[in-house]
Amino acid sequence: MNANTGLTEYMVTKNESALTDATPHKLIGMLFDGALESIAKATGAITSGDVAARGEAIGKAMTIVDNLRAMLDSDRGGEISANLEQIYDYICRRLLQASSEQDPAILKEVAGLLREVKGGWDSIPPELHGAVE
């Protein structure tokens, strides 16, 4: 086994363990992190001219944002859910535009929006992480 294979296996095991041990609140935080990481990769791919990597990274970011949107509970979330739905829709449209126009400025805008939503999510007090109303 070479060093790269060992490192890859370690990372897969570490990530699987983190997913298994994570609370639902933490899992959503991990989705935000994954979307932001994918956007950063897409930015690098645009800068380097790597079309395949750009498409893969933007596709992954869109999938994650779509998953965040699918998890919204409009019955319990009310206006907040509706607002997040609109934000996630806007983010997906901007990601498509960033891909077609190869514009890192759009990715910067989208990352800023996601960081703002993630900041709100992260500020939820721990005692409310599993709250059901």
Side-chain angles (χ1 to χ4, degrees), residues 18-36:
L19 286 173
T20 301
D21 297 338
T23 65
H25 183 86
K26 178 70 176 169
L27 288 172
I28 291 173
M30 292 169 73
L31 286 173
F32 283 121
D33 291 339
L36 289 166

Side-chain angles (χ1 to χ4, degrees), residues 62-114:
M62 289 180 67
T63 298
I64 292 170
V65 172
D66 278 338
N67 281 308
L68 288 167
R69 182 180 5 201
M71 286 189 242
L72 294 173
D73 185 342
S74 59
D75 292 335
R76 293 188 331 186
E79 186 178 346
I80 292 172
S81 260
N83 290 340
L84 286 170
E85 170 80 29
Q86 291 176 356
I87 291 169
Y88 294 152
D89 179 64
Y90 177 78
I91 287 171
C92 284
R93 286 186 283 119
R94 292 294 280 166
L95 286 169
L96 280 173
Q97 185 177 3
S99 182
S100 67
E101 295 178 11
Q102 300 182 42
D103 188 348
I106 296 172
L107 294 176
K108 182 178 179 180
E109 173 199 359
V110 167
L113 289 169
L114 280 173

Side-chain angles (χ1 to χ4, degrees), residues 32-70:
F32 283 121
D33 291 339
L36 289 166
E37 181 180 330
S38 292
I39 291 168
K41 287 180 181 178
T43 302
I46 287 173
T47 303
S48 69
D50 188 340
V51 176
R54 178 191 79 217
E56 182 179 333
I58 288 178
K60 184 174 181 181
M62 289 180 67
T63 298
I64 292 170
V65 172
D66 278 338
N67 281 308
L68 288 167
R69 182 180 5 201

